[in-house]
Structures are given as structure tokens and as C-alpha cells.
Amino acid sequence: MRAFFLQELPAVVIPIVLVLNADSRFSLPAKILVGAFLVHYLQRTFIFPFLIRGGKPTPLIIFLMAMSFCLFNGYMQCASLIRYANYTNNRMEEWNFSVGLLIFAFGLRTNIVCDSILRNLRAPGETGYKIPQGDMFKYLTAANLWGEAIEWVGFAIACWSLQSFAFAFFACLYLSGRSYSHHAWYKSKFEDYPSERKIFIPFVI
């Protein structure tokens, strides 16, 4: 819990420092996009870790890699929006801005809801493993991870920048790999695992 909190914290602190030192180039569209970025990481830093039940110790190398990613990616995404994007208010009238934010919101909602489903699979005192049910778990094994990937795809569409698309690409690669591992584990653990559930793309793969 403590490790997760600390590793995600730079992705909150760095954007806030950049916002506090922003100049007139920090436009309203950029403020909305930085706000979306912060909504995700505020939830992941100050809410999600404290809802985790049990959990395993985080290896030091994994912790340091995750913290470094949050540090550098937090700077890259938000500095590009605050200092270099030069968006005008007309940006909010472009199709990709509203569509991207809607996709981001759907991904965020899916991630939070599916994380909650996983946390509540077992009642207090219960042991053993269960197959998660409901929401996007109807279609995907790791619906919570898919939700997070969808967030960053939406964010990239809304920003329409090299930095945001690089982040979305990395998120999809990393989270699809984790999804594959989860899918293989569930199929090995449960003979009756739903055959219609896919790894990362609903109805496809």
C-alpha cells in the first residue's frame, strides 16, 4: 500500500508544481486536459492504495521503475500541455477534444468499477479464488486494466500530441501484457472459465 502510494505520487506533485508556475500560455483546453490527468492520478495515489486488501510486498526494482515512470511521464505530459501546446479556446470545438474526453471518462469509470468488483470478490473471512462477474468482465478477463488503457487512448485523442500518443502506446503494450498473464492464469485455474472472454479487445482477442 505504502509503496503504491509513493510510486504514484510524483504524477500528482509534478503537474501541480508545473501548474503553480504556469504562465499565460496555459490555456483553458490545456487546464481541462491537465485536470483529467490529475483526476486519474489523484484517485490512484490517494484512494486506490488505501482500498487494497492484503497485497504482496513490492520488489524494490519494480517500485523504483514505477516511480521513475510516474516522475518523467508526469513531467512530459503536463509540461507539454502547460508550456508548449499553445492551444486556443477553439481547441474545445474540435471533434477529438470532446470525443477523447468522453473515452477517457468511460475508461476511468470502467477502471474504478472493475477494481471494486475485484476487491469485493471474497467476503470477509473467505478464502480461495473466484471468477469476477459483471460490467466489462462479461467481455474481458482484466477489465480493470483495459479501462485504464482506454483512459489513456482517450487522453491521447483529446490532446492529439506526440507525447500523449507515446503514453497511450506504452500503456496499451504494458497493460495488454498484464492482461495476457491474467487470462492465462484464470484459464489454468478454472476449467469452466468463460470461453467468450477475451484478453484485451472485446469480441476480438
Side-chain angles (χ1 to χ4, degrees):
M1 180 179 72
R2 185 181 302 171
F4 199 96
F5 167 78
L6 291 174
Q7 75 186 33
E8 302 289 305
L9 190 59
V12 174
V13 173
I14 296 299
I16 290 174
V17 170
L18 290 170
V19 167
L20 292 175
N21 290 278
D23 57 25
S24 59
R25 290 172 293 179
F26 191 25
S27 63
L28 179 58
K31 289 175 183 175
I32 293 171
L33 293 167
V34 170
F37 185 89
L38 278 171
V39 164
H40 170 88
Y41 278 104
L42 284 167
Q43 195 275 336
R44 296 295 284 181
T45 303
F46 294 103
I47 299 175
F48 176 77
F50 302 99
L51 296 174
I52 296 173
R53 298 176 180 176
K56 300 176 182 178
T58 303
L60 180 60
I61 186 64
I62 300 298
F63 167 75
L64 292 175
M65 289 173 65
M67 176 178 274
S68 298
F69 175 80
C70 287
L71 175 67
F72 291 109
N73 186 61
Y75 178 81
M76 181 175 72
Q77 300 305 321
C78 295
S80 68
L81 289 167
I82 294 168
R83 296 180 176 176
Y84 307 111
N86 291 322
Y87 294 152
T88 65
N89 287 348
N90 292 335
R91 183 83 178 190
M92 295 185 293
E93 299 174 7
E94 297 178 9
W95 71 269
N96 59 292
F97 189 83
S98 54
V99 169
L101 286 176
L102 285 172
I103 294 171
F104 175 89
F106 174 71
L108 177 66
R109 171 255 171 217
T110 300
N111 178 248
I112 292 172
V113 168
C114 292
D115 273 339
S116 178
I117 290 172
L118 288 174
R119 280 195 306 272
N120 293 288
L121 277 178
R122 290 193 293 259
E126 273 191 317
T127 58
Y129 298 103
K130 293 183 178 181
I131 300 173
Q133 305 288 345
D135 205 80
M136 290 301 294
F137 281 114
K138 180 178 180 180
Y139 309 104
L140 294 160
T141 292
N144 56 322
L145 302 181
W146 179 81
E148 185 172 354
I150 290 300
E151 279 186 74
W152 300 124
V153 169
F155 183 77
I157 292 171
C159 294
W160 210 260
S161 66
L162 177 62
Q163 294 88 347
S164 60
F165 279 110
F167 181 22
F169 180 72
F170 170 82
C172 287
L173 283 181
Y174 172 67
L175 295 168
S176 63
R178 287 183 60 192
S179 297
Y180 175 81
S181 297
H182 288 202
H183 190 76
W185 183 88
Y186 274 105
K187 293 199 75 172
S188 68
K189 196 75 175 178
F190 298 95
E191 293 183 1
D192 59 343
Y193 191 71
S195 59
E196 67 274 10
R197 289 197 191 182
K198 303 301 182 183
I199 298 171
F200 199 64
I201 304 176
F203 310 110
V204 180
I205 188 171

